[in-house]
Amino acid sequence: MSLSHFQGPFEVAHHPQLEPEVKRAILASWASDANAVEGNPAVRRPPRHKRPIPIDEILDALRKVDRNAS
């Protein structure tokens, strides 16, 4: 399964077959400054992703993964 398979961060957070550590790794890579949209650092475009994603949406999904893992 490639990262471009996911349409958004909550699709990653809710995926039933991924371990929490894998979900965190995917979401953290999306949140990376390397994925920031030039001139708009609050928006990220994950590799091969169709639309930019606000960093707040990615961080909310990470928090959901953490809540579900504890």
Side-chain angles (χ1 to χ4, degrees):
M1 176 179 315
S2 73
L3 294 182
S4 61
H5 168 82
F6 299 106
Q7 295 303 305
F10 283 97
E11 190 173 340
V12 174
H14 292 235
H15 197 284
Q17 296 174 332
L18 296 177
E19 295 293 324
E21 295 79 18
V22 174
K23 293 175 183 182
R24 283 188 200 100
I26 292 169
L27 293 168
S29 74
W30 286 12
S32 167
D33 282 343
N35 293 316
V37 174
E38 189 173 340
N40 194 354
V43 179
R44 304 295 194 257
R45 185 183 300 276
R48 297 172 303 283
H49 205 267
K50 294 179 183 176
R51 69 175 180 92
I53 299 172
I55 187 67
D56 291 340
E57 191 175 325
I58 298 168
L59 296 176
D60 287 345
L62 273 167
R63 283 189 283 275
K64 178 153 185 69
V65 169
D66 289 339
R67 280 193 305 270
N68 290 343
S70 48

